[in-house]
């Protein structure tokens, strides 16, 4: 075929250009594609000769659709996502917006039902499933873990002398849908910490609780360290995910410790967010406790669901895994 | 230990012994169940209130084998003075049966409208699904996946977030 656009071609390529203009006639033989394919005649739907299709799975033979729906209603959203990959029947049953509506209302319960409906219509065209996938949310079925390392000079111990030690410590955050969160900073591994990250933890577990808010993809969290000099820890995070709906990474935007005035803060936790709202990064209301904007130990958080806590790579000791790059 | 007479039904008089309801399964077996236990089933409760509980109530959707177990379940749950812990353990033992039987329990609980049994059995099946990968779920329930390769890939992409 002659080319449609004129090109200026250097002299050396003149011979090659002549080849381009030679036309080869290729006859089209579409029937050749049909050879080798076995076609079994399939009787149309209502025909008598059609063999009745017996579903091999007892669950499909026994349970009618509404009872399968009852079973799915008792699954968590992540289990529903996995169940959706099983077969066509399950995939289309799980598309039912009721499941996703319940999942969304539970995940964003802090905003309240009316607000959620409004956001649904405005941003997600009435599709709960779309809201579940696209709207950033904090995951509550596991821990967000940030692995930080630093190097410190080694100490001679008996015969073993290491010139440097690679020290590894973790920050753990667990969010709850009610607006509270738990925080722990420790060198213990994920599988040991996971058991103690709940409200029943004892003082020795050094798990601290606070409150957080989520606006779009920014999380503002504040907790108060108990003690004689009340110190408040403010963490600002940004949610993202490795794929739509995963919400499994959080970047640390800032980490500040500062002091609160004894008068400002009376009693309980929820108020702490209101107290520190709008504070500058270097603001402190207690002269004994300076405001420190932490610059180190700000590796992004990776989400580890509870069922993967035992086998997560974050459990590996430092000599086996010195770098861990969160995606 | 003797159980106290049923509290709510208007038909039973407090002085006479526990009223027994007769049920007939689809294969002709008859079972007797205390009224208090029968009241756990909304279907049976409606039938008792309409006072057609004289002759055995026919239940064409439930076989004898399953009906026997359902009667056992209702009687256990109607017993007074059983603490939650042991009841839960008893429930766990009750549903420790093979898949097909659990599905039959669900169907019976749905037909007889017994919310506790329905909840228990649906949770059991949900537990069977929870935590498994799709392949494991297919193998467990013997489900044949008829996705074409393109569809399979599309489904995987759609639900990738559930695996992250």
């Amino acid at each position: 075929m002659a080319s449609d656009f004129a090109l200026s071609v250097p002299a050396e390529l003149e011979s090659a250009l002549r080849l381009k203009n030679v036309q080869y006639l290729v006859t089209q033989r579409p029937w050749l594609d049909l050879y080798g394919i076995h076609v079994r005649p399939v009787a149309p739907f209502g025909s008598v000769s059609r063999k009745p299709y017996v579903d091999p799975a007892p669950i499909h033979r026994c349970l009618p659709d509404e009872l399968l729906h009852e079973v799915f209603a008792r699954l968590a959203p992540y289990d529903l996502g996995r169940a959706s990959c099983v077969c066509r029947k399950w995939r289309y049953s799980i598309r039912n917006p009721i499941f996703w509506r319940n999942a969304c209302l539970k995940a964003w319960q802090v905003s309240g039902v009316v607000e959620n409906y409004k956001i649904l219509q405005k941003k997600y065209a009435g599709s709960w499933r779309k809201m579940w996938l696209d709207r950033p949310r904090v995951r509550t079925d596991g821990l967000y873990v940030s692995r930080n390392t630093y190097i410190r000079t080694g100490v001679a111990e008996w015969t073993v002398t290491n010139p440097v030690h690679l020290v590894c410590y973790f920050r753990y955050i667990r969010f709850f849908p009610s607006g509270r969160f738990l925080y722990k900073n420790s060198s213990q591994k994920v599988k040991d910490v996971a058991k103690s990250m709940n409200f029943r933890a004892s003082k020795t577990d050094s798990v601290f609780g606070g409150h957080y808010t989520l606006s779009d993809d920014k999380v503002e969290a504040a907790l108060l360290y108990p003690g004689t000099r009340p110190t408040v820890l403010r963490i600002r995070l940004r949610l993202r995910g490795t794929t739509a709906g995963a919400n499994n990474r959080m970047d640390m935007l800032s980490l500040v410790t500062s002091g609160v005035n004894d008068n400002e803060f009376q009693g309980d936790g929820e108020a702490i967010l209101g107290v520190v709202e709008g504070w500058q990064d270097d603001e402190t209301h207690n002269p004994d406790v300076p405001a420190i904007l932490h610059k180190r130990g700000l590796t992004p958080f990776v989400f580890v669901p509870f069922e993967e806590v035992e086998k997560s790579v974050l459990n590996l000791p430092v000599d086996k895994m010195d770098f861990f790059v969160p995606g | 230990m003797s159980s106290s007479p049923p509290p709510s039904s208007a038909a039973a008089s407090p002085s006479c012994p526990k009223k027994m309801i007769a049920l007939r399964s689809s294969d002709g077996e008859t079972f007797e169940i205390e009224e208090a236990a029968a009241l756990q089933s909304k279907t049976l409760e409606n039938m008792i209130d309409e006072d057609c509980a004289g002759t055995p109530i026919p239940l064409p959707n439930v076989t004898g084998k399953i009906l026997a177990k359902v009667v056992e379940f209702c009687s256990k749950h109607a017993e007074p003075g059983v603490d939650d812990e042991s009841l839960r353990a008893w429930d766990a033992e009750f549903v420790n049966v093979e898949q097909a039987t659990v599905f039959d329990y669900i169907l019976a609980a749905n037909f007889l409208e017994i919310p506790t049994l329905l909840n228990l059995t649906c949770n059991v099946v949900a537990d069977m699904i929870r935590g498994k990968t799709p392949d494991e779920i297919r193998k467990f329930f013997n489900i044949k996946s008829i996705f074409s390769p393109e569809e399979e890939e599309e489904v995987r992409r759609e639900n990738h977030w559930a695996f992250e």
Side-chain angles (χ1 to χ4, degrees), chain B residues 5 28-29 31 36-37 39 41 57 85 91 107 114 120 132 137 148 151-152 154-155 161-162:
Chain B
E29 281 181 57
F31 298 90
L39 288 175
S41 153
I57 300 178
E85 191 65 47
D91 283 343
L107 286 170
I114 309 175
L120 175 66
K132 292 192 165 79
I137 299 178
S148 61
E151 218 180 335
E152 172 92 43
E154 193 190 320
V155 166
W161 53 273

Short mmCIF file of all heavy atoms in Angstrom, two decimals, chain B residues 5 28-29 31 36-37 39 41 57 85 91 107 114 120 132 137 148 151-152 154-155 161-162:
data_model
loop_
_atom_site.label_atom_id
_atom_site.label_comp_id
_atom_site.label_asym_id
_atom_site.label_seq_id
_atom_site.Cartn_x
_atom_site.Cartn_y
_atom_site.Cartn_z
N PRO B 5 -44.65 -24.29 83.43
CA PRO B 5 -45.59 -24.29 82.30
C PRO B 5 -45.36 -23.09 81.39
O PRO B 5 -44.85 -22.06 81.82
CB PRO B 5 -46.97 -24.22 82.96
CG PRO B 5 -46.71 -23.84 84.38
CD PRO B 5 -45.34 -24.27 84.70
N GLY B 28 -43.76 -39.05 56.84
CA GLY B 28 -44.77 -39.72 57.67
C GLY B 28 -44.40 -39.96 59.11
O GLY B 28 -45.20 -40.46 59.87
N GLU B 29 -43.20 -39.58 59.54
CA GLU B 29 -42.85 -39.80 60.96
C GLU B 29 -43.50 -38.73 61.81
O GLU B 29 -43.58 -37.57 61.40
CB GLU B 29 -41.35 -39.70 61.14
CG GLU B 29 -40.62 -40.96 60.71
CD GLU B 29 -39.13 -40.78 60.95
OE1 GLU B 29 -38.76 -40.51 62.12
OE2 GLU B 29 -38.36 -40.87 59.99
N PHE B 31 -43.52 -36.58 65.43
CA PHE B 31 -42.69 -36.17 66.55
C PHE B 31 -43.53 -35.35 67.50
O PHE B 31 -44.44 -34.65 67.09
CB PHE B 31 -41.50 -35.32 66.07
CG PHE B 31 -40.60 -36.04 65.16
CD1 PHE B 31 -40.80 -35.99 63.79
CD2 PHE B 31 -39.54 -36.79 65.66
CE1 PHE B 31 -39.96 -36.67 62.93
CE2 PHE B 31 -38.70 -37.46 64.80
CZ PHE B 31 -38.92 -37.41 63.44
N ALA B 36 -43.83 -24.94 74.56
CA ALA B 36 -42.87 -23.85 74.79
C ALA B 36 -41.77 -23.89 73.75
O ALA B 36 -41.33 -22.86 73.24
CB ALA B 36 -42.27 -23.96 76.18
N ALA B 37 -41.32 -25.11 73.44
CA ALA B 37 -40.27 -25.24 72.43
C ALA B 37 -40.82 -24.89 71.05
O ALA B 37 -40.15 -24.25 70.25
CB ALA B 37 -39.71 -26.65 72.45
N LEU B 39 -43.01 -22.81 70.28
CA LEU B 39 -43.24 -21.38 70.09
C LEU B 39 -42.02 -20.66 69.54
O LEU B 39 -42.11 -19.52 69.11
CB LEU B 39 -43.65 -20.73 71.41
CG LEU B 39 -45.05 -21.09 71.86
CD1 LEU B 39 -45.33 -20.51 73.22
CD2 LEU B 39 -46.08 -20.58 70.87
N SER B 41 -40.68 -21.39 66.89
CA SER B 41 -40.88 -21.32 65.46
C SER B 41 -42.10 -20.46 65.20
O SER B 41 -43.19 -20.75 65.67
CB SER B 41 -41.11 -22.73 64.92
OG SER B 41 -41.89 -22.67 63.76
N ILE B 57 -49.44 -31.68 62.97
CA ILE B 57 -49.24 -30.64 61.95
C ILE B 57 -48.36 -31.22 60.84
O ILE B 57 -47.24 -31.66 61.12
CB ILE B 57 -48.55 -29.42 62.56
CG1 ILE B 57 -49.42 -28.85 63.68
CG2 ILE B 57 -48.31 -28.36 61.50
CD1 ILE B 57 -48.79 -27.68 64.38
N GLU B 85 -22.88 -19.98 78.15
CA GLU B 85 -21.64 -20.65 77.78
C GLU B 85 -21.91 -22.08 77.32
O GLU B 85 -21.49 -22.51 76.26
CB GLU B 85 -20.73 -20.65 79.01
CG GLU B 85 -19.31 -21.07 78.75
CD GLU B 85 -18.59 -20.11 77.84
OE1 GLU B 85 -18.66 -18.89 78.07
OE2 GLU B 85 -17.96 -20.60 76.90
N ASP B 91 -24.59 -25.65 70.98
CA ASP B 91 -24.87 -25.22 69.61
C ASP B 91 -23.74 -25.61 68.68
O ASP B 91 -23.96 -26.08 67.56
CB ASP B 91 -25.07 -23.70 69.54
CG ASP B 91 -26.43 -23.27 70.05
OD1 ASP B 91 -27.32 -24.15 70.14
OD2 ASP B 91 -26.61 -22.08 70.33
N LEU B 107 -32.67 -24.74 55.51
CA LEU B 107 -33.97 -24.78 54.84
C LEU B 107 -35.09 -24.97 55.85
O LEU B 107 -36.12 -24.31 55.78
CB LEU B 107 -33.99 -25.92 53.82
CG LEU B 107 -33.18 -25.66 52.55
CD1 LEU B 107 -33.07 -26.94 51.75
CD2 LEU B 107 -33.85 -24.59 51.73
N ILE B 114 -37.47 -20.13 62.44
CA ILE B 114 -36.83 -20.17 63.77
C ILE B 114 -35.60 -19.28 63.68
O ILE B 114 -34.56 -19.69 63.18
CB ILE B 114 -36.40 -21.60 64.13
CG1 ILE B 114 -37.57 -22.56 63.94
CG2 ILE B 114 -35.90 -21.65 65.55
CD1 ILE B 114 -37.19 -24.01 64.16
N LEU B 120 -27.74 -19.26 63.58
CA LEU B 120 -26.65 -20.16 63.91
C LEU B 120 -26.13 -20.84 62.66
O LEU B 120 -24.93 -20.85 62.39
CB LEU B 120 -27.15 -21.21 64.91
CG LEU B 120 -26.19 -22.31 65.30
CD1 LEU B 120 -25.03 -21.74 66.07
CD2 LEU B 120 -26.90 -23.36 66.14
N LYS B 132 -11.02 -18.09 53.39
CA LYS B 132 -10.49 -19.00 52.36
C LYS B 132 -10.26 -18.22 51.08
O LYS B 132 -10.95 -17.26 50.79
CB LYS B 132 -11.49 -20.11 52.07
CG LYS B 132 -11.70 -21.10 53.20
CD LYS B 132 -12.50 -22.30 52.67
CE LYS B 132 -12.44 -23.47 53.58
NZ LYS B 132 -13.33 -23.37 54.72
N ILE B 137 -12.44 -22.10 48.43
CA ILE B 137 -13.89 -22.11 48.57
C ILE B 137 -14.50 -23.03 47.53
O ILE B 137 -15.41 -23.81 47.83
CB ILE B 137 -14.46 -20.68 48.40
CG1 ILE B 137 -13.91 -19.75 49.47
CG2 ILE B 137 -15.97 -20.69 48.48
CD1 ILE B 137 -14.39 -18.34 49.32
N SER B 148 -14.77 -17.79 31.80
CA SER B 148 -13.80 -17.86 30.70
C SER B 148 -12.55 -17.13 31.16
O SER B 148 -12.62 -16.35 32.11
CB SER B 148 -14.40 -17.18 29.47
OG SER B 148 -14.66 -15.83 29.75
N GLU B 151 -12.99 -13.46 31.56
CA GLU B 151 -13.87 -13.11 32.67
C GLU B 151 -13.14 -13.29 33.99
O GLU B 151 -13.28 -12.48 34.91
CB GLU B 151 -15.09 -14.04 32.62
CG GLU B 151 -16.37 -13.34 32.98
CD GLU B 151 -17.54 -14.29 32.92
OE1 GLU B 151 -17.47 -15.28 32.18
OE2 GLU B 151 -18.51 -14.01 33.64
N GLU B 152 -12.34 -14.35 34.05
CA GLU B 152 -11.59 -14.64 35.27
C GLU B 152 -10.67 -13.47 35.59
O GLU B 152 -10.59 -12.99 36.71
CB GLU B 152 -10.78 -15.92 35.04
CG GLU B 152 -9.80 -16.25 36.12
CD GLU B 152 -10.41 -17.15 37.17
OE1 GLU B 152 -11.10 -18.10 36.77
OE2 GLU B 152 -10.19 -16.90 38.36
N GLU B 154 -11.00 -10.41 34.55
CA GLU B 154 -11.78 -9.22 34.88
C GLU B 154 -12.24 -9.27 36.33
O GLU B 154 -12.18 -8.28 37.05
CB GLU B 154 -12.99 -9.17 33.95
CG GLU B 154 -13.70 -7.85 33.95
CD GLU B 154 -15.01 -7.98 33.19
OE1 GLU B 154 -15.01 -8.67 32.15
OE2 GLU B 154 -16.01 -7.42 33.66
N VAL B 155 -12.68 -10.45 36.74
CA VAL B 155 -13.15 -10.59 38.12
C VAL B 155 -12.00 -10.36 39.09
O VAL B 155 -12.15 -9.70 40.11
CB VAL B 155 -13.73 -12.00 38.32
CG1 VAL B 155 -13.89 -12.31 39.77
CG2 VAL B 155 -15.05 -12.11 37.63
N TRP B 161 -8.72 -5.59 45.42
CA TRP B 161 -8.58 -4.94 46.71
C TRP B 161 -8.82 -5.91 47.86
O TRP B 161 -8.31 -5.71 48.95
CB TRP B 161 -9.57 -3.77 46.80
CG TRP B 161 -10.96 -4.19 46.51
CD1 TRP B 161 -11.55 -4.26 45.30
CD2 TRP B 161 -11.93 -4.66 47.44
NE1 TRP B 161 -12.82 -4.72 45.42
CE2 TRP B 161 -13.10 -4.96 46.72
CE3 TRP B 161 -11.94 -4.81 48.83
CZ2 TRP B 161 -14.24 -5.44 47.34
CZ3 TRP B 161 -13.08 -5.28 49.44
CH2 TRP B 161 -14.22 -5.59 48.69
N ALA B 162 -9.58 -6.94 47.62
CA ALA B 162 -9.89 -7.87 48.70
C ALA B 162 -8.70 -8.75 49.05
O ALA B 162 -8.68 -9.38 50.09
CB ALA B 162 -11.07 -8.74 48.32
#
